[in-house]
Amino acid sequence: MAGAAKELRLGLVCYGGSSLCIYMHGITKEINRLVGASASRGAPNAATTGSESVYVELLEKLAGAGPEAPDLRVVVDVIAGTSAGGINGIFLGKALAGNRSQDALRDVWFEDGDMNQLVIGPRKLAGIPLSWKAKLPFLLRTALKRSPLRGDDMARWLYQALGKMDADPRNAGPASLLPPGHPLDLWVTITDFYGYQRLIPLSRPRFVSDARHRHALNFHYESGGDDEFEDNGALTFAARTTSCFPAVFPPVNPARLSRTLGASLEPMLKRCFRIYELNGADPNKTYFVDGGVLDNKPFGWAIDTITRSRPAESEVDRRLLYLEPDPGGFATSQGGEDPETLAAALGALTSIPRSEPILDDLLDVQVHNERVGRMRDVIEANFDKVAALIEPIVPDTVLAGQGAQQWPWAKWNEQVNEIVTANAGMSYATYLRLKVAAVLDGFAQAICAICDYPGDSNHASLVRAAVACWGADKSLFDQSSSAPTPEQLRFLRAFDLGFMRRRVRFVLAAFNWWYGSVGAAGFPTRQELDSGKALLYEKIAALDALAHLSLPDDAEHSEKDAVAGLRELVHTAFPVESLTAFLEKEGIDGAAYAQSHHDALTSLFEAAEAFYTKRVGGFWEALLAQLVPLAGGWSPERRRDLAVRFIGFPMWDVLLYPVQELGQIGEGDAVEVVRVSPHEATLLPLPEGGKVEGKRTHHFYAFFSREARENDYLWGRLDAAEQLVRLLVDSSGATEPIDGWCKQLFAAILDEEAQALTHIKPKLERLRAEVDALQT
């Protein structure tokens, strides 16, 4: 890359929509092209298609627009899909992880996504092909007993397409389109038709039994680590299941699907269905249907992934794209005619379940962004006040004249905490109690991760309850004094990795804000900000690894032994057999479990306290020793800002943490949502009847027409190309006109797809003429 890097990070949300999935595939194909072009820049002859070459030229042009112009890299790091949209997300994820072509999926949609292929019954009679209409009398006779579409064949086609991606020569360029060490997560929703029984704890009776049907599958990729996109059997199960439209495709049984494919699903079942095992259920004995039945809200999975941990060592623009082939328009009136039976059924199964969650999710994102904005207002309104309290403690002369190794860190920390206790008043008790509760809950989460207890399982609930009760028994929630007790201080100094992480992220937020002032006098350069962010994210990663007892492969033997010993104590305190037996007899009674396992819990916490105390010592001094030299050339105002954030963080934490915790704001930045639909692409003339033909017949029309499938796929690529160019120009801050670049991309796309689009040649010629006529 030519200069200072900036990442344009894309998250994708792919809803259902029956045959609208073919338009969506055009969009995901174009996103794949852009990411491939971005990842392969600099490699000789890496751009394998005309459209990728145009994207490379555009990225180079934007990077060279001026001395402060960022050099964009485009990355997709989270995909969430449901129903037919989930299929597109699965294939895109595999293509990104392994730099593979998606042409095999295009061929499946064109050749096999046809109702004549999908409908059960003989395909020929006396050598004459039979259409789905000819089979209709047979289908009506069997409709109440048998789903009309070929589920097993659909699974085979998808499995073969995934295999073809692996078998075809890898695209030119890197082995993966993800940067080194960068994760990719795919979430796919499914529905367990029968469900598995859950014991739900109540006050009286102690338990009630109910069935859980909602489920989500996760596939993860990270270079040098997990690559769950290599498991084509698991991906086929996800694709076939999430799109298993009720009463159309037959439900999916894992054991039967495994036999149909000749591929084992056991590794995926063990990884994704651990909660079934804990509840005595077997996923091989149930049947699964469309994820959109109960969980047609993949926005939530995408946002949760984004706001958890997505480190970036450079400036980042985050865009969450949701694909909406049929956005409709503003309603001019309410209500309508009395729907017929079939229309009402199809609407209840498709249109309403798709539309309502989108509205809910978008409103949730809006509320999240409003909360983030209010938090920023709080910081800006109080910055000068906190700075005034820090001024007597940390003089500028000390910051400028001595290295961090000579700073009186312990003294400063003590003085800041005294000010916090004195000024927080009654709110300090709330802050302290929240911190203790959060630390205990974090420790319980680490225990559950080590023991593989899913967060929503009863086993995890019992672990959390027992750990909290152990803390209460040790007087960690004592509020009798206005200052922390010795027990609380010792506990928090050893275990409060969350405070340490928040402190680093609070400094990190300043670096992110300063990107907007790059080039202004007194502000850090882009390279200095990148170096600082890399250092801070390295420290966050170290804290996260410490919290989950994770070690690098090259860790010293003494460290590995210490971690192994601590993990053994975790399993001794919370073995699965003991938790299962206790739950059956006592329910989620944390106090009783903590009492009956007192010695094991005490041994665990004592060993953990010694382990963490040893490893967090010197953390801040080491960080400052690296951070301060980086700020040596900054203006006094910026160094003061850094000191106010870093050294004054205990003041900020008392002010902000209760609001974050109780308001469930978390540490995430604002999430910008971008709709990708036919309405946002306006350069090409709108054809009569609209761009997307698949929206007709309750979104099923493209399954009845090869011409409609080819049309929708092509328009998906063309519309996406225009909107992606807009995103690139906006993210770069350039004033580059988009029309000429879009014209080049449109022409390249038409050339690339001409051989595959055999049924819409007149449309291709018309579009070529319209592209040629575009003014640039």
Side-chain angles (χ1 to χ4, degrees):
M1 302 180 69
K6 178 180 180 179
E7 283 190 354
L8 174 58
R9 292 198 180 177
L10 305 179
L12 262 70
V13 176
C14 306
Y15 281 86
S18 304
S19 74
L20 297 179
C21 61
I22 298 165
Y23 177 88
M24 292 185 205
H25 175 53
I27 298 173
T28 59
K29 181 72 162 289
E30 198 60 25
I31 291 170
N32 195 171
R33 287 281 196 262
L34 170 58
V35 175
S38 173
S40 62
R41 282 174 62 201
N45 303 317
T48 58
T49 65
S51 58
E52 286 187 6
S53 296
V54 177
Y55 283 124
V56 169
E57 291 176 18
L58 174 56
L59 290 167
E60 296 288 350
K61 179 70 179 294
L62 294 175
E68 297 300 335
D71 196 342
L72 289 180
R73 168 139 197 184
V74 186
V75 178
V76 174
D77 60 2
V78 58
I79 305 167
T82 192
S83 196
I87 297 178
N88 291 320
I90 289 164
F91 277 80
L92 175 62
K94 185 176 180 69
L96 296 173
N99 192 10
R100 300 290 188 180
S101 169
Q102 290 194 75
D103 286 348
L105 178 60
R106 179 197 62 191
D107 296 341
V108 167
W109 289 135
F110 284 3
E111 302 293 338
D112 302 314
D114 187 287
M115 200 57 68
N116 292 331
Q117 284 284 92
L118 290 169
V119 170
I120 61 175
R123 292 190 172 98
K124 293 183 179 181
L125 183 62
I128 301 173
L130 291 178
S131 72
W132 68 272
K133 294 179 181 179
K135 303 175 189 177
L136 192 57
F138 166 76
L139 295 176
L140 292 176
R141 287 198 305 270
T142 61
L144 295 179
K145 294 183 178 180
R146 188 176 182 185
S147 298
L149 300 191
R150 300 175 181 272
D152 286 350
D153 283 347
M154 186 65 184
R156 292 189 190 97
W157 298 331
L158 292 169
Y159 186 65
Q160 290 164 5
L162 291 165
K164 192 172 187 299
M165 292 177 73
D166 293 331
D168 286 347
R170 189 185 297 273
N171 289 336
S176 170
L177 300 185
L178 277 296
H182 197 102
L184 170 66
D185 276 288
L186 166 71
W187 295 94
V188 182
T189 65
I190 63 175
T191 303
D192 184 339
F193 183 82
Y194 291 107
Y196 63 93
Q197 291 300 308
R198 283 288 308 273
L199 293 178
I200 313 300
L202 299 177
S203 297
R204 184 177 297 124
R206 189 165 58 238
F207 282 111
V208 295
S209 177
D210 206 348
R212 180 68 178 270
H213 299 270
R214 184 184 293 113
H215 203 75
L217 305 174
N218 175 237
F219 296 86
H220 184 81
Y221 168 83
E222 193 162 348
S223 60
D226 296 332
D227 185 1
E228 290 161 0
F229 291 92
E230 292 183 340
D231 189 347
N232 290 340
L235 293 174
T236 302
F237 171 80
R240 170 71 178 84
T241 303
T242 192
S243 59
C244 185
F245 194 84
V248 176
F249 276 110
V252 181
N253 172 258
R256 175 177 170 176
L257 182 65
S258 181
R259 293 192 297 270
T260 298
L261 301 178
S264 173
L265 300 180
E266 287 307 312
M268 181 273 298
L269 296 176
K270 183 177 181 180
R271 176 173 59 83
C272 295
F273 291 87
R274 167 67 166 164
I275 195 168
Y276 279 57
E277 178 185 349
L278 294 175
N279 283 273
D282 183 356
N284 277 308
K285 295 181 179 179
T286 190
Y287 287 80
F288 295 89
V289 295
D290 195 304
V293 172
L294 291 177
D295 197 1
N296 199 23
K297 296 183 66 174
F299 253 112
W301 297 104
I303 292 171
D304 287 348
T305 303
I306 290 169
T307 55
R308 278 204 304 269
S309 176
R310 281 294 187 260
E313 297 179 0
S314 61
E315 185 180 6
V316 170
D317 269 359
R318 160 69 69 180
R319 300 291 186 273
L320 184 57
L321 312 183
Y322 81 94
L323 314 188
E324 179 58 295
D326 184 18
F330 293 106
T332 57
S333 62
Q334 181 181 359
E337 298 179 356
D338 184 3
E340 298 176 354
T341 301
L342 180 60
L346 290 173
L349 288 171
T350 59
S351 302
I352 295 175
R354 284 187 66 254
S355 300
E356 197 67 22
I358 294 177
L359 173 63
D360 292 343
D361 283 338
L362 293 179
L363 291 174
D364 288 345
V365 173
Q366 179 184 348
V367 170
H368 167 83
N369 289 342
E370 289 172 354
R371 288 172 174 170
V372 170
R374 286 197 292 269
M375 290 297 294
R376 181 164 182 165
D377 291 341
V378 170
I379 294 171
E380 292 175 344
N382 289 276
F383 203 89
D384 290 341
K385 297 175 184 177
V386 174
L389 293 172
I390 294 295
E391 180 74 34
I393 300 174
V394 189
D396 285 338
T397 54
V398 175
L399 289 176
Q402 296 179 346
Q405 297 88 340
Q406 286 78 44
W407 287 3
W409 166 253
K411 179 182 177 182
W412 287 349
N413 200 50
E414 182 179 345
Q415 290 176 298
V416 168
N417 280 301
E418 287 175 357
I419 293 175
V420 168
T421 305
N423 285 273
M426 291 186 294
S427 65
Y428 190 79
T430 300
Y431 167 71
L432 186 63
R433 187 177 185 89
L434 282 173
K435 284 227 301 180
V436 170
V439 172
L440 288 169
D441 188 62
F443 192 66
Q445 290 180 27
I447 291 171
C448 292
I450 292 169
C451 297
D452 194 16
Y453 300 147
D456 58 346
S457 66
N458 289 334
H459 292 67
S461 296
L462 180 55
V463 170
R464 291 193 294 268
V467 169
C469 289
W470 180 91
D473 187 58
K474 297 298 180 181
S475 301
L476 295 180
F477 293 103
D478 183 13
Q479 295 178 275
S480 60
S481 172
S482 59
T485 66
E487 292 80 6
Q488 290 169 333
L489 283 175
R490 189 178 69 248
F491 173 77
L492 291 174
R493 284 170 181 163
F495 288 98
D496 198 357
L497 302 180
F499 173 87
M500 300 173 73
R501 193 179 191 277
R502 293 194 300 276
R503 186 178 218 159
V504 177
R505 287 194 65 89
F506 195 63
V507 175
L508 189 64
F511 283 63
N512 287 331
W513 288 3
W514 288 338
Y515 275 115
S517 300
V518 166
F523 280 88
T525 66
R526 187 178 296 276
Q527 288 78 8
E528 288 172 335
L529 292 176
D530 290 351
S531 298
K533 285 190 68 176
L535 168 64
L536 295 170
Y537 270 119
E538 178 186 316
K539 298 302 181 183
I540 290 174
L543 291 172
D544 289 344
L546 188 60
H548 293 93
L549 299 182
S550 300
L551 291 175
D553 293 336
D554 58 353
E556 297 180 1
H557 288 294
S558 59
E559 288 293 289
K560 292 181 178 180
D561 291 343
V563 166
L566 203 50
R567 284 177 172 269
E568 185 176 344
L569 288 173
V570 167
H571 287 289
T572 300
F574 296 100
V576 62
E577 297 83 2
S578 294
L579 263 67
T580 301
F582 188 91
L583 284 166
E584 292 175 354
K585 183 179 180 181
E586 304 290 342
I588 301 176
D589 188 337
Y593 190 91
Q595 183 177 3
S596 62
H597 293 75
H598 176 269
D599 292 344
L601 282 170
T602 299
S603 297
L604 171 61
F605 273 93
E606 287 178 351
E609 181 178 338
F611 177 86
Y612 286 117
T613 299
K614 177 181 178 181
R615 284 153 185 83
V616 300
F619 179 89
W620 299 121
E621 291 84 350
L623 174 58
L624 287 168
Q626 295 173 277
L627 194 58
V628 171
L630 184 68
W634 297 0
S635 67
E637 292 79 10
R638 298 291 81 74
R639 289 200 302 271
R640 169 58 51 184
D641 288 349
L642 192 62
V644 170
R645 281 180 170 271
F646 187 86
I647 298 170
F649 182 73
M651 301 179 189
W652 289 114
D653 205 42
V654 170
L655 184 67
L656 299 175
Y657 180 63
V659 181
Q660 291 175 319
E661 184 72 9
L662 296 175
Q664 296 183 334
I665 297 175
E667 300 171 353
D669 295 325
V671 177
E672 295 191 30
V673 180
V674 177
R675 185 178 73 176
V676 183
S677 83
H679 287 193
E680 280 69 56
T682 58
L683 287 180
L684 290 172
L686 183 67
E688 185 178 354
K691 300 175 182 178
V692 184
E693 296 183 11
K695 67 183 182 181
R696 293 154 53 188
T697 319
H698 299 285
H699 295 163
F700 278 89
Y701 180 75
F703 291 144
F704 297 94
S705 167
R706 170 69 181 254
E707 291 82 357
R709 294 196 294 279
E710 292 186 8
N711 172 85
D712 290 1
Y713 166 75
L714 177 60
W715 272 112
R717 286 203 64 183
L718 295 171
D719 286 351
E722 179 179 336
Q723 293 174 77
L724 291 174
V725 169
R726 293 184 191 278
L727 280 177
L728 292 175
V729 173
D730 289 346
S731 186
S732 71
T735 57
E736 180 75 11
I738 72 163
D739 298 38
W741 294 103
C742 290
K743 182 174 182 176
Q744 291 184 57
L745 274 172
F746 295 157
I749 291 167
L750 293 175
D751 288 342
E752 289 173 19
E753 300 293 352
Q755 278 192 315
L757 304 177
T758 57
H759 288 61
I760 58 169
K761 291 188 180 298
K763 287 185 179 180
L764 279 175
E765 295 308 313
R766 188 191 73 240
L767 280 167
R768 286 186 191 279
E770 291 171 348
V771 170
D772 290 340
L774 286 175
Q775 300 297 316
T776 60

